[in-house]
Amino acid sequence: MTLHPAPGLTHSDTVLILGGGLIGLAVAHQLARSGRPVEVLSRRRSEAAGFVAAGMLAPHAEGLSGNLLALGQASLAHIPAWVAQIEADSGLSCGLRPCGIVVPFATSTERDIYPTVTWGEALDRHGLERELPGIGPGWQAGLLFRQDGQIDNRRQLMRALERACVELGVRFQEGVNVLELLQEGNQLAGVRVRDAAATVKIVQASTAVLCSGAWSAQLLPKLPVFPVKGQMLSLQGPREALQRVIFGPGTYLVPREDGLLVVGATSEREAGFTEGLTPFGQRQLEAGIESLLPQASQWPPMERWWGFRPCTPDEGPLLGNSPVQGLWLATGHHRNGVLLAAITAGLLGACLSSDGGSAEQQALLKPFRWDRFSS
Ligand code: GLY
């Protein structure tokens, strides 16, 4: 299905999406649904955090607080409708699994001071064994967050979202490196890019959304976004061996429907953009598996990979306007990009709409302004 541009819009109303990861695709999908012409400039698919993450939908298990918890909860509530829309537009399943997440603790005292304790169901050792058969002996208490879950981002969501965008008429340029933002005064005029054939050219645009993840500050150095590397691996377990996600300290285990167990993740601020796996990082994950679910240490390994989370000083995203008129921000989602994709798409859609969105959307956006760090 191709939506036609909204009345009054011409080709020059095309919105450029800078970045073809999960956030870029989610925003492109939202704008295309509202009738905007959209073009996505994407550098390299494999580096997109949407392909790297484990797909947890975990505002409570992650122990978020304050405005970030409120944003995560709003997104979690919107995800079923968002996924249904993507599935209807693409004809593909996104692999949403509202399976609940358990956070295990060594003691009940640690459990009772967890930031989101009031949102969870307290478990003792007996409850942990019921929810997570085979959990390691070091865990004596837990919190079950039934409302949290997961989505198969790597194998399903990204593919469905891309197909939905194509069906809605979104155009894609792959292998394109955005080199520079071009301005006329303070107004965005376009971007200078190097395309897949290594030709440097200019793409004119007065409206763009910066969704470049960990690389965002390379285009706009004023943005306080920096990479936090994460290493991951996957194992093939028996189908239904584990029903709920286990979110342990430093390691989490995310069981897909077919038994694939996605294991994450290191959190390496000092690594910068250094690529590759490290023995230390991989051993950390293996020790986490042994501690959380000892039997899984025997399951056959499938893949190992790494990626770069886009982090900010307060670990919240940068959403809404930017220092450049016409350039909008949807970046800096750190550990919560998959969770926040749905609300981010809705909020950016509101920013680019003629009325700027509802009072509720404005209230959600306000704490995530790009310039909130300057006193
Ligand atoms: N959302 C989990 C992580 O970033 O590792």
Side-chain angles (χ1 to χ4, degrees), residues 56 62 252 265 309 334-335:
M56 279 186 298
E62 287 267 6
Y252 46 79
R309 304 177 185 87
H334 188 222
R335 298 179 62 92

Side-chain angles (χ1 to χ4, degrees), residues 101-143:
I101 301 185
V102 174
V103 183
F105 300 91
T107 66
S108 56
T109 312
E110 287 171 38
R111 176 193 66 200
D112 296 343
I113 57 168
Y114 202 62
T116 46
V117 60
T118 55
W119 300 93
E121 211 172 295
L123 303 175
D124 57 13
R125 175 71 201 177
H126 179 71
L128 269 184
E129 286 173 1
R130 184 188 65 233
E131 299 299 333
L132 307 172
I135 185 163
W139 308 98
Q140 297 303 319
L143 283 171

Side-chain angles (χ1 to χ4, degrees), residues 204-282:
Q204 291 183 333
S206 55
T207 309
V209 186
L210 182 64
C211 307
S212 310
W215 295 267
S216 297
Q218 291 176 1
L219 278 179
L220 197 53
K222 279 186 182 160
L223 298 182
V225 180
F226 53 91
V228 176
K229 183 177 176 180
Q231 300 184 42
M232 304 190 61
L233 60 83
S234 62
L235 309 169
Q236 185 61 54
R239 194 181 270 267
E240 296 182 8
L242 183 63
Q243 290 299 311
R244 301 198 188 278
V245 173
I246 312 181
F247 187 89
T251 310
Y252 46 79
L253 311 182
V254 184
R256 303 293 194 221
E257 200 109 41
D258 60 359
L260 187 78
L261 189 72
V262 180
V263 181
T266 62
S267 191
E268 303 168 54
R269 285 181 186 237
E270 67 295 345
F273 282 112
T274 308
E275 305 221 349
L277 303 171
T278 63
F280 181 79
Q282 293 294 299

